[in-house]
Amino acid sequence: EFCTLLAVCHTVIPEVSEEDGTIVYQSASPDEGALVKGAVSLGYEFTTRRPKSVTIRANGRDEEWEILNICEFNSTRKRMSAVVRDPRGRIKLYVKGADTVILERLARDGNPFVDATSMYLEEYASEGLRTLCIACRDVSDREYEEWSEIYDRAATTINNRQDALDRAAELIEKDLFLIGATAIEDKLQDGDAEVDLEPIALIIDGKSLTYALEDDIQMVLLELACLCKAVICCRVSPLQKALVVKLVKNNVHDAVTLAIGDGANDVGMIQAAHVGVGISGMEGLQAARAADFAIAQFRFLRKLLLVHGGWGYSRLSKLVLYSFYKNIALYLVQLWFAFDNGFSGQTIFESWVQSAYNVVFALLQPVAIGIFDQFVSARMLDRYPQMYKLGQRSEFYNHWAFLSWILNSFYHSFIAYFLIKWATGESIILLNGKFANIWLVGAILYTIIVVVITLKAMLTIHTWVWFTRLAVFGSIALWMILFPLYATVGPMIKISEELDGLVSPMFTAPVFWFSILIVPVIAILRDFIWK
């Protein structure tokens, strides 16, 4: 009966291998597939699944079992059952599930294996194995007909169908006869951490957690948990996993929670945490799809946190600070110019050129910083995990770092504007004897700002790759190529007519070339010496 139940009560699909003709079992969970394989090793081989029946080979002969109904497993029921008709025409109910739900549904009398099974369950649990209880009972034809009507109505319900099916299953899953139990090793992947067995560890099961998570007690649980080096919640439901994560997330100051799982029952927990990590493996892809990050094996968590986590924190910190810096550096020039134009609202930059700043000429530098920069090598971060604390201590992004970058943008824009103002005097006398207008001075200032922020990006970047070189030298080259082209074509099509005739005087003026060579160096010299 035990082996027959394992071979019949499941949702596994058998597939015949084209290479050697062996049967390969496809299952929704590794545990279900393992139980079917276990039955095969005991001489009960599941061979064929049809829409309404399964065929097993037991003791050298084939037997066809009719599948009348399947009550599927879910995290609330913690069990699955199958109503079947054996080859002799008798109707049986086969059930397998967690011991907490099976033992309480046993018949009061006629269960001789309860004590022995409980002893084995305790032994298996102490070895870290995942256990299931196996039970069955005979169902009369009349009882099945009455129950089948209830089940069919539940199956055709439009609203709350799953709840209706669960209630229908509850009516027949009673007065069970305990056959025995199974135990499956939840084998650790390479690199999995062993359980912390420190003396100050809190271990709590799902039933106790139900009461501990009530509103009037949960803060006591949290306070106790914070006094322990490790907290182990065992035999808990997906909802309880998520509630535990939310309890810590919402009530522990400065806590950043991370949840990692590999199955559909971990999705709630993964989505509740600040950072969710899904493992794509034997349990399916539900966890990986719901997570912020997906990894193939548990051992990759170390690299994800220490290496990519360290790089990500450094990159984002630099990206945010640099983005504020480059924008303030340009637009503060307008402020310094306001003191000279009597706050009339006159702009020193042509409007379309100014709009292209973040879209074209100051675009590649932050991309290079935010995607490709590595402040130290992967080997160093993996070898010295202490460096992960740089992020926890907010070493790269804090109030002082933000203020220093803002002050630096003030300094660079101030140097650029007032050095150009000093160099040009009242105005620039061009080679043709004419005086330069405001747009030429603005174009020179714009060029200097583009060069300054690019030099600042060079000092900020730690790792140089091909895109970094493209971003640094390409941004300056883009300005030198696109601005003359736009200043020539634009006025011809009645766009930016104020730039008409500006290219030749600008690129032939000595003050332009001396300014873009000297002023950026003076502005960035303090940053270079400081670094």
Side-chain angles (χ1 to χ4, degrees):
E1 195 84 64
F2 181 89
C3 296
T4 301
L5 188 150
L6 295 183
V8 172
C9 182
H10 54 75
T11 57
V12 174
I13 304 295
E15 294 182 355
V16 179
S17 175
E18 296 180 355
E19 297 179 356
D20 53 11
T22 59
I23 296 178
V24 178
Y25 296 116
Q26 303 293 338
S27 59
S29 72
D31 285 13
E32 195 168 45
L35 293 176
V36 174
K37 292 175 184 177
V40 172
S41 67
L42 297 173
Y44 287 74
E45 183 181 11
F46 168 53
T47 60
T48 308
R49 177 176 292 278
R50 299 181 183 85
K52 292 294 184 179
S53 67
V54 297
T55 301
I56 64 173
R57 184 173 294 116
N59 300 320
R61 66 177 187 275
D62 290 344
E63 296 181 358
E64 185 172 357
W65 290 67
E66 183 182 356
I67 306 298
L68 300 176
N69 301 95
I70 292 286
C71 299
E72 296 184 354
F73 175 91
N74 61 47
S75 58
T76 303
R77 285 166 38 77
K78 298 182 181 179
R79 64 190 182 277
M80 78 156 290
S81 61
V83 183
V84 299
R85 192 188 301 274
D86 69 10
R88 298 180 182 180
R90 297 175 300 183
I91 299 177
K92 289 179 174 289
L93 172 69
Y94 284 153
V95 186
K96 60 183 181 183
D99 54 5
T100 54
V101 297
I102 298 297
L103 294 179
E104 65 186 18
R105 286 168 173 78
L106 298 179
R108 294 185 178 181
D109 301 319
N111 268 294
F113 306 131
V114 173
D115 293 338
T117 303
S118 298
M119 181 185 67
Y120 285 121
L121 286 171
E122 187 174 346
E123 179 183 340
Y124 296 153
S126 65
E127 295 176 7
L129 305 180
R130 284 207 292 235
T131 58
L132 287 176
C133 281
I134 306 297
C136 68
R137 80 176 179 95
D138 294 329
V139 180
S140 65
D141 291 343
R142 181 177 179 181
E143 180 186 2
Y144 174 72
E145 290 175 2
E146 294 175 354
W147 177 82
S148 180
E149 293 179 2
I150 299 174
Y151 182 86
D152 291 341
R153 284 198 301 269
T156 55
T157 300
I158 296 177
N159 298 321
N160 300 319
R161 179 181 301 170
Q162 190 58 55
D163 292 340
L165 288 171
D166 290 350
R167 289 193 297 269
E170 194 77 33
L171 297 176
I172 199 170
E173 294 170 344
K174 61 182 181 179
D175 299 331
L176 302 176
F177 176 79
L178 182 65
I179 305 174
T182 64
I184 299 175
E185 180 184 5
D186 189 6
K187 190 173 183 179
L188 293 175
Q189 296 178 356
D190 294 336
D192 275 18
E194 297 295 336
V195 177
D196 187 353
L197 296 179
E198 292 287 338
I200 45 176
L202 172 63
I203 302 176
I204 184 170
D205 64 4
K207 196 166 187 178
S208 303
L209 198 59
T210 302
Y211 303 104
L213 288 174
E214 292 181 354
D215 293 339
D216 56 338
I217 304 177
Q218 62 178 3
M219 296 311 297
V220 178
L221 170 66
L222 180 62
E223 184 178 355
L224 177 60
C226 291
L227 297 175
C228 302
K229 294 191 70 173
V231 178
I232 302 173
C233 301
C234 56
R235 308 176 74 84
V236 296
S237 68
L239 178 60
Q240 289 175 321
K241 294 180 183 180
L243 290 176
V244 169
V245 172
K246 289 180 180 178
L247 180 63
V248 177
K249 178 181 177 181
N250 297 332
N251 297 286
V252 178
H253 181 62
D254 290 337
V256 178
T257 57
L258 182 147
I260 181 169
D262 63 350
N265 58 347
D266 299 317
V267 169
M269 170 183 68
I270 289 172
Q271 294 181 333
H274 289 100
V275 181
V277 180
I279 301 176
S280 56
M282 296 293 291
E283 295 283 351
L285 296 175
Q286 293 95 329
R289 289 170 179 165
D292 302 301
F293 302 94
I295 56 179
Q297 295 186 24
F298 188 90
R299 61 190 176 94
F300 297 145
L301 180 64
R302 176 186 176 93
K303 186 173 183 179
L304 177 65
L305 290 178
L306 299 185
V307 179
H308 294 288
W311 284 346
Y313 169 67
S314 172
R315 290 167 181 165
L316 287 177
S317 299
K318 292 178 182 178
L319 176 63
V320 172
L321 295 171
Y322 183 80
S323 297
F324 276 99
Y325 156 80
K326 70 182 180 68
N327 284 290
I328 294 174
L330 177 73
Y331 291 104
L332 271 180
V333 172
Q334 300 276 30
L335 175 64
W336 309 132
F337 180 59
F339 288 99
D340 289 329
N341 65 34
F343 291 90
S344 64
Q346 173 64 44
T347 178
I348 198 170
F349 303 125
E350 191 276 326
S351 58
W352 282 106
V353 172
Q354 181 175 322
S355 300
Y357 181 71
N358 281 314
V359 182
V360 181
F361 308 116
L363 172 66
L364 297 180
Q365 302 94 324
V367 171
I369 293 172
I371 296 179
F372 297 100
D373 192 46
Q374 301 172 6
F375 74 105
V376 290
S377 67
R379 181 177 297 179
M380 289 288 288
L381 288 170
D382 186 66
R383 182 176 296 177
Y384 301 103
Q386 306 93 305
M387 298 183 73
Y388 188 75
K389 292 184 178 179
L390 292 172
Q392 295 176 326
R393 295 198 300 261
S394 301
E395 294 285 343
F396 296 149
Y397 188 86
N398 51 55
H399 296 305
W400 168 245
F402 185 81
L403 180 61
S404 65
W405 277 76
I406 299 302
L407 292 176
N408 206 27
S409 63
F410 272 71
Y411 172 74
H412 287 170
S413 65
F414 182 87
I415 290 293
Y417 179 79
F418 285 98
L419 282 181
I420 292 299
K421 179 182 177 181
W422 172 79
T424 58
E426 289 297 322
S427 183
I428 306 173
I429 300 178
L430 303 176
L431 293 179
N432 59 8
K434 295 182 178 180
F435 290 100
N437 59 23
I438 186 177
W439 306 116
L440 191 148
V441 176
I444 295 175
L445 273 170
Y446 195 99
T447 305
I448 290 171
I449 292 297
V450 170
V451 175
V452 168
I453 67 166
T454 304
L455 292 176
K456 180 61 176 177
M458 293 173 63
L459 292 178
T460 303
I461 293 170
H462 286 84
T463 303
W464 286 75
V465 296
W466 68 268
F467 187 87
T468 309
R469 297 181 179 89
L470 174 66
V472 169
F473 302 109
S475 297
I476 299 176
L478 273 175
W479 166 251
M480 291 297 189
I481 295 171
L482 293 182
F483 176 71
L485 186 64
Y486 175 72
T488 302
V489 176
M492 296 172 59
I493 57 176
K494 305 303 179 181
I495 298 176
S496 304
E497 296 182 63
E498 57 267 38
L499 299 181
D500 187 24
L502 187 68
V503 176
S504 179
M506 174 178 168
F507 283 89
T508 58
V511 68
F512 169 73
W513 296 106
F514 279 111
S515 296
I516 64 173
L517 291 176
I518 296 174
V519 174
V521 173
I522 295 174
I524 210 72
L525 184 62
R526 186 208 66 83
D527 299 74
F528 179 77
I529 295 173
W530 180 270
K531 185 172 183 179

mmCIF file of all heavy atoms in Angstrom, residues 372-373 457-459 461-470 472-473:
data_model
loop_
_atom_site.group_PDB
_atom_site.id
_atom_site.type_symbol
_atom_site.label_atom_id
_atom_site.label_comp_id
_atom_site.label_asym_id
_atom_site.label_seq_id
_atom_site.Cartn_x
_atom_site.Cartn_y
_atom_site.Cartn_z
ATOM 1 N N PHE A 372 30.535 50.858 -15.910
ATOM 2 C CA PHE A 372 31.804 50.138 -16.104
ATOM 3 C C PHE A 372 32.834 50.345 -15.003
ATOM 4 O O PHE A 372 33.831 49.621 -14.960
ATOM 5 C CB PHE A 372 32.430 50.552 -17.442
ATOM 6 C CG PHE A 372 31.592 50.188 -18.629
ATOM 7 C CD1 PHE A 372 30.800 51.141 -19.254
ATOM 8 C CD2 PHE A 372 31.575 48.900 -19.125
ATOM 9 C CE1 PHE A 372 30.020 50.815 -20.347
ATOM 10 C CE2 PHE A 372 30.796 48.561 -20.218
ATOM 11 C CZ PHE A 372 30.014 49.516 -20.835
ATOM 12 N N ASP A 373 32.638 51.297 -14.125
ATOM 13 C CA ASP A 373 33.687 51.592 -13.149
ATOM 14 C C ASP A 373 33.780 50.509 -12.069
ATOM 15 O O ASP A 373 32.764 49.966 -11.625
ATOM 16 C CB ASP A 373 33.426 52.950 -12.488
ATOM 17 C CG ASP A 373 34.619 53.430 -11.699
ATOM 18 O OD1 ASP A 373 35.741 53.366 -12.215
ATOM 19 O OD2 ASP A 373 34.429 53.844 -10.543
ATOM 20 N N ALA A 457 35.593 63.618 -14.648
ATOM 21 C CA ALA A 457 35.215 62.218 -14.813
ATOM 22 C C ALA A 457 36.452 61.332 -14.902
ATOM 23 O O ALA A 457 36.484 60.218 -14.350
ATOM 24 C CB ALA A 457 34.349 62.049 -16.064
ATOM 25 N N MET A 458 37.503 61.816 -15.580
ATOM 26 C CA MET A 458 38.743 61.045 -15.680
ATOM 27 C C MET A 458 39.352 60.794 -14.306
ATOM 28 O O MET A 458 39.868 59.711 -14.025
ATOM 29 C CB MET A 458 39.752 61.778 -16.568
ATOM 30 C CG MET A 458 39.339 61.856 -18.030
ATOM 31 S SD MET A 458 40.452 62.896 -19.013
ATOM 32 C CE MET A 458 41.983 61.992 -18.860
ATOM 33 N N LEU A 459 39.309 61.790 -13.436
ATOM 34 C CA LEU A 459 39.853 61.630 -12.088
ATOM 35 C C LEU A 459 38.968 60.737 -11.217
ATOM 36 O O LEU A 459 39.444 60.119 -10.267
ATOM 37 C CB LEU A 459 40.014 63.002 -11.423
ATOM 38 C CG LEU A 459 41.074 63.932 -12.016
ATOM 39 C CD1 LEU A 459 41.072 65.260 -11.284
ATOM 40 C CD2 LEU A 459 42.451 63.290 -11.948
ATOM 41 N N ILE A 461 37.010 58.120 -12.368
ATOM 42 C CA ILE A 461 36.977 56.732 -12.860
ATOM 43 C C ILE A 461 38.217 55.976 -12.393
ATOM 44 O O ILE A 461 39.333 56.480 -12.459
ATOM 45 C CB ILE A 461 36.880 56.722 -14.395
ATOM 46 C CG1 ILE A 461 35.521 57.283 -14.851
ATOM 47 C CG2 ILE A 461 37.082 55.321 -14.946
ATOM 48 C CD1 ILE A 461 35.413 57.533 -16.330
ATOM 49 N N HIS A 462 37.997 54.740 -11.909
ATOM 50 C CA HIS A 462 39.103 53.884 -11.477
ATOM 51 C C HIS A 462 39.496 52.847 -12.532
ATOM 52 O O HIS A 462 40.651 52.440 -12.605
ATOM 53 C CB HIS A 462 38.734 53.154 -10.185
ATOM 54 C CG HIS A 462 38.735 54.018 -8.976
ATOM 55 N ND1 HIS A 462 37.655 54.793 -8.606
ATOM 56 C CD2 HIS A 462 39.701 54.260 -8.044
ATOM 57 C CE1 HIS A 462 37.938 55.452 -7.502
ATOM 58 N NE2 HIS A 462 39.171 55.155 -7.144
ATOM 59 N N THR A 463 38.524 52.396 -13.318
ATOM 60 C CA THR A 463 38.776 51.339 -14.298
ATOM 61 C C THR A 463 38.536 51.877 -15.701
ATOM 62 O O THR A 463 37.464 52.408 -15.995
ATOM 63 C CB THR A 463 37.852 50.133 -14.046
ATOM 64 O OG1 THR A 463 38.040 49.660 -12.715
ATOM 65 C CG2 THR A 463 38.155 49.007 -15.023
ATOM 66 N N TRP A 464 39.536 51.717 -16.550
ATOM 67 C CA TRP A 464 39.440 52.204 -17.922
ATOM 68 C C TRP A 464 39.238 51.038 -18.884
ATOM 69 O O TRP A 464 40.046 50.126 -18.944
ATOM 70 C CB TRP A 464 40.708 52.978 -18.295
ATOM 71 C CG TRP A 464 40.765 54.325 -17.645
ATOM 72 C CD1 TRP A 464 41.043 54.585 -16.336
ATOM 73 C CD2 TRP A 464 40.502 55.579 -18.258
ATOM 74 N NE1 TRP A 464 40.977 55.940 -16.092
ATOM 75 C CE2 TRP A 464 40.643 56.586 -17.265
ATOM 76 C CE3 TRP A 464 40.161 55.976 -19.553
ATOM 77 C CZ2 TRP A 464 40.460 57.925 -17.520
ATOM 78 C CZ3 TRP A 464 39.983 57.324 -19.813
ATOM 79 C CH2 TRP A 464 40.133 58.289 -18.810
ATOM 80 N N VAL A 465 38.113 51.091 -19.603
ATOM 81 C CA VAL A 465 37.825 50.130 -20.654
ATOM 82 C C VAL A 465 37.612 50.930 -21.937
ATOM 83 O O VAL A 465 37.707 52.155 -21.949
ATOM 84 C CB VAL A 465 36.587 49.275 -20.320
ATOM 85 C CG1 VAL A 465 36.845 48.420 -19.091
ATOM 86 C CG2 VAL A 465 35.358 50.156 -20.094
ATOM 87 N N TRP A 466 37.309 50.229 -23.029
ATOM 88 C CA TRP A 466 37.166 50.942 -24.305
ATOM 89 C C TRP A 466 36.053 51.981 -24.273
ATOM 90 O O TRP A 466 36.183 53.066 -24.864
ATOM 91 C CB TRP A 466 36.930 49.943 -25.437
ATOM 92 C CG TRP A 466 35.603 49.234 -25.365
ATOM 93 C CD1 TRP A 466 35.330 48.056 -24.763
ATOM 94 C CD2 TRP A 466 34.354 49.707 -25.913
ATOM 95 N NE1 TRP A 466 33.998 47.745 -24.883
ATOM 96 C CE2 TRP A 466 33.375 48.728 -25.594
ATOM 97 C CE3 TRP A 466 33.981 50.826 -26.640
ATOM 98 C CZ2 TRP A 466 32.053 48.865 -25.975
ATOM 99 C CZ3 TRP A 466 32.649 50.971 -27.016
ATOM 100 C CH2 TRP A 466 31.704 49.993 -26.692
ATOM 101 N N PHE A 467 34.960 51.668 -23.553
ATOM 102 C CA PHE A 467 33.857 52.640 -23.499
ATOM 103 C C PHE A 467 34.249 53.858 -22.673
ATOM 104 O O PHE A 467 33.789 54.974 -22.954
ATOM 105 C CB PHE A 467 32.611 51.979 -22.904
ATOM 106 C CG PHE A 467 31.386 52.857 -22.974
ATOM 107 C CD1 PHE A 467 30.581 52.846 -24.093
ATOM 108 C CD2 PHE A 467 31.054 53.717 -21.930
ATOM 109 C CE1 PHE A 467 29.454 53.667 -24.168
ATOM 110 C CE2 PHE A 467 29.937 54.529 -21.996
ATOM 111 C CZ PHE A 467 29.135 54.504 -23.127
ATOM 112 N N THR A 468 35.083 53.662 -21.666
ATOM 113 C CA THR A 468 35.535 54.789 -20.857
ATOM 114 C C THR A 468 36.329 55.766 -21.718
ATOM 115 O O THR A 468 36.126 56.991 -21.647
ATOM 116 C CB THR A 468 36.401 54.292 -19.690
ATOM 117 O OG1 THR A 468 35.712 53.265 -18.990
ATOM 118 C CG2 THR A 468 36.711 55.426 -18.738
ATOM 119 N N ARG A 469 37.216 55.236 -22.524
ATOM 120 C CA ARG A 469 38.004 56.108 -23.420
ATOM 121 C C ARG A 469 37.102 56.799 -24.429
ATOM 122 O O ARG A 469 37.293 57.985 -24.751
ATOM 123 C CB ARG A 469 39.069 55.273 -24.132
ATOM 124 C CG ARG A 469 40.088 54.650 -23.171
ATOM 125 C CD ARG A 469 41.150 53.851 -23.929
ATOM 126 N NE ARG A 469 42.126 53.284 -23.004
ATOM 127 C CZ ARG A 469 42.021 52.110 -22.416
ATOM 128 N NH1 ARG A 469 40.944 51.356 -22.661
ATOM 129 N NH2 ARG A 469 42.943 51.678 -21.593
ATOM 130 N N LEU A 470 36.109 56.046 -24.930
ATOM 131 C CA LEU A 470 35.156 56.651 -25.859
ATOM 132 C C LEU A 470 34.380 57.773 -25.196
ATOM 133 O O LEU A 470 34.155 58.838 -25.801
ATOM 134 C CB LEU A 470 34.203 55.574 -26.375
ATOM 135 C CG LEU A 470 33.044 56.058 -27.266
ATOM 136 C CD1 LEU A 470 33.590 56.615 -28.574
ATOM 137 C CD2 LEU A 470 32.064 54.921 -27.545
ATOM 138 N N VAL A 472 35.261 59.646 -22.582
ATOM 139 C CA VAL A 472 36.100 60.800 -22.217
ATOM 140 C C VAL A 472 36.484 61.601 -23.453
ATOM 141 O O VAL A 472 36.214 62.805 -23.550
ATOM 142 C CB VAL A 472 37.344 60.317 -21.458
ATOM 143 C CG1 VAL A 472 38.350 61.451 -21.314
ATOM 144 C CG2 VAL A 472 36.943 59.788 -20.088
ATOM 145 N N PHE A 473 37.114 60.942 -24.396
ATOM 146 C CA PHE A 473 37.599 61.667 -25.570
ATOM 147 C C PHE A 473 36.487 61.908 -26.580
ATOM 148 O O PHE A 473 36.509 62.908 -27.313
ATOM 149 C CB PHE A 473 38.750 60.886 -26.219
ATOM 150 C CG PHE A 473 39.896 60.640 -25.283
ATOM 151 C CD1 PHE A 473 40.162 59.372 -24.794
ATOM 152 C CD2 PHE A 473 40.693 61.694 -24.851
ATOM 153 C CE1 PHE A 473 41.210 59.148 -23.926
ATOM 154 C CE2 PHE A 473 41.749 61.474 -23.973
ATOM 155 C CZ PHE A 473 42.002 60.199 -23.507
#
